[in-house]
């Protein structure tokens, strides 16, 4: 099937593939790059409104480079994996500072920008500059593992190297952008992780996984580990229609975002008193929630502390009073936004 693999996919894509996604109507590398970064670990239907809002605010790469990081994170809020947004911002600044505002044209140069890996760089170079290079995102890995019966977890180095070599062998002599789009479309619409639509697949008559009844087994799953759990007590300190938020450090979990302060193991009332220098009323337990990260699960117990008025000073310069009626573009982690959106009205109000 190697000989006609690309031709089959490209013929199928011309009739059945996706042709109306916003980033398919341009060869502007800024827009293609933005879509590729947003689409990592995120579904297309989720990305589209974020993509459109982002370009309304930052229509050119120079606009993104000049923006404060807080504004970038605010527009990214809800997409998760916030290191992607910080790297996007840093890469835009690198394009302006090191490349005169012109996006690099080769996959090798593009991969030198912050947060852009080999596959993403190749996709941008192929779509925008017709460079004949393979990609290896999750969709392509799944298609190749099933079509050619490749064993082993694709995240393992040896398996990934084999897949890269195969992806290079399968490249067509021309039309690489359309071929790469065909691979992405097949993995996203037919060769899906569960319940693949094999009867409609252009590769069905040569697919090893279908022939051997192994579509549910390939690609080989990541070795399972029970993720560790961590507990957090988050404190909602509300006063006069605003809440106290803390700017997270630039690196690490929720880096650069505004989050609720955490009391640790200390009594919440004692903790608030120590940090704000006042004696608060009795904290009220809010509904607990759980948030899953890639490598651990966070069990969150929120507490609500009501104050009559904001204190004249807070702990240090990383703390901010955020108006609750202006949360839309605030750079908030998803669970923090959920907690704040679900707050009960202040006592005495309906």
């Amino acid at each position: 099937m190697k000989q006609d693999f690309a031709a089959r996919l490209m013929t199928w894509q011309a009739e059945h593939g996706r042709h109306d996604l916003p980033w398919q109507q341009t060869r502007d590398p800024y827009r293609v790059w933005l879509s590729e970064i947003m689409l990592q670990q995120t579904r297309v239907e989720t990305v589209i409104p974020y993509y459109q809002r982002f370009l309304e605010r930052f229509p050119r790469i120079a606009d993104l480079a000049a923006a404060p990081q807080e504004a970038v994170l605010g527009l990214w809020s809800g997409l998760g994996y916030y290191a992607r947004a910080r790297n996007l911002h840093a890469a835009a600044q690198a394009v302006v500072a090191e490349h005169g505002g012109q996006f690099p044209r080769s996959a090798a140069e593009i991969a030198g920008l912050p947060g852009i890996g080999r596959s993403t760089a190749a996709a941008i170079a192929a779509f925008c500059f017709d460079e004949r290079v393979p990609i290896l995102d999750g969709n392509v890995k799944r298609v190749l593992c099933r079509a050619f019966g490749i064993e082993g977890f694709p995240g393992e180095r040896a398996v990934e190297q084999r897949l890269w070599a195969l992806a290079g062998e399968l490249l067509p002599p021309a039309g690489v952008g359309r071929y790469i789009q065909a691979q992405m479309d097949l993995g996203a619409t037919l060769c899906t992780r569960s319940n693949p639509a094999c009867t409609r697949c252009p590769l069905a008559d040569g697919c090893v996984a279908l022939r051997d009844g192994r579509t549910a087994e390939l690609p080989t799953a990541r070795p399972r580990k029970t993720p560790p759990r961590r507990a957090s007590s988050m404190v909602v300190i509300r006063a006069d229609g605003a809440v106290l938020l803390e700017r997270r450090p630039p690196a690490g979990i929720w880096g650069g975002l505004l989050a609720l302060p955490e009391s640790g193991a200390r009594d919440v009332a004692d903790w608030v008193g120590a940090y704000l220098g006042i004696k608060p009323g009795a904290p009220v337990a809010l509904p607990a929630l759980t948030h899953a990260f890639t490598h651990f699960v966070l069990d969150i117990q929120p507490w609500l502390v009501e104050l009559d008025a904001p204190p004249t000073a807070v702990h240090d310069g990383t703390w901010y009073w955020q108006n609750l009626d202006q949360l839309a573009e605030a750079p908030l982690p998803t669970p923090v936004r959920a907690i704040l959106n679900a707050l009960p009205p202040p006592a005495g109000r309906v």
Side-chain angles (χ1 to χ4, degrees), residues 198-243:
C198 298
T199 58
R200 295 188 283 128
C201 179
L203 307 175
D205 62 356
C207 177
V208 173
L210 180 60
R211 181 196 69 194
D212 297 345
R214 302 187 63 205
T215 56
E217 300 173 27
L218 294 175
T220 304
R222 180 192 299 272
R224 296 196 65 172
K225 295 181 180 178
T226 301
R229 303 188 79 94
R230 302 180 189 174
S232 172
S233 291
M234 295 189 179
V235 187
V236 181
I237 302 172
R238 181 168 63 181
D240 197 21
V243 292

Side-chain angles (χ1 to χ4, degrees), residues 93-262:
Q93 293 175 330
V95 169
V96 170
E98 301 169 17
H99 299 274
Q102 299 299 310
F103 208 90
R105 297 180 63 89
S106 73
E109 281 188 295
I110 296 170
L113 295 172
I116 303 183
R118 178 180 175 182
S119 185
T120 299
I124 298 167
F127 286 138
C128 301
F129 308 119
D130 298 315
E131 186 174 357
R132 190 173 174 272
V133 283
I135 73 162
L136 200 62
D137 69 359
N139 284 321
V140 174
K141 289 178 180 178
R142 186 164 57 255
V143 169
L144 296 184
C145 285
R146 285 176 175 164
F148 296 96
I150 295 176
E151 305 272 359
F153 173 54
E156 294 177 358
R157 181 172 176 79
V159 179
E160 187 173 52
Q161 287 179 331
R162 182 181 175 189
L163 288 169
W164 272 116
L166 177 60
E169 291 176 32
L170 296 172
L171 284 173
V176 68
R178 187 153 61 90
Y179 166 66
I180 285 175
Q181 187 63 56
Q183 290 181 296
M184 292 176 169
D185 288 356
L186 189 76
T189 63
L190 297 187
C191 194
T192 50
R193 186 175 288 107
S194 59
N195 301 316
C198 298
T199 58
R200 295 188 283 128
C201 179
L203 307 175
D205 62 356
C207 177
V208 173
L210 180 60
R211 181 196 69 194
D212 297 345
R214 302 187 63 205
T215 56
E217 300 173 27
L218 294 175
T220 304
R222 180 192 299 272
R224 296 196 65 172
K225 295 181 180 178
T226 301
R229 303 188 79 94
R230 302 180 189 174
S232 172
S233 291
M234 295 189 179
V235 187
V236 181
I237 302 172
R238 181 168 63 181
D240 197 21
V243 292
L244 189 61
L245 298 176
E246 181 181 14
R247 176 79 64 188
R248 301 280 296 189
I253 299 299
W254 297 332
L257 301 187
L258 292 174
L260 290 167
E262 300 178 57

Side-chain angles (χ1 to χ4, degrees), residues 5 9 18 26 49 58 63 76 81 86 89 162 177 188 191 196 199 214 246 304 306:
F5 182 87
L9 284 183
R18 301 174 295 185
T26 180
F58 309 122
D63 300 319
W76 199 272
Y81 302 94
R86 295 193 296 272
H89 190 220
R162 182 181 175 189
C191 194
T199 58
R214 302 187 63 205
E246 181 181 14
L304 175 61
E306 299 275 18

Side-chain angles (χ1 to χ4, degrees), residues 234 245 254 258-260 289 300 332-341:
M234 295 189 179
L245 298 176
W254 297 332
L258 292 174
L260 290 167
L289 69 158
I300 303 170
L332 304 174
T334 297
V336 171
R337 189 176 297 278
I339 292 168
L340 296 181
N341 284 338

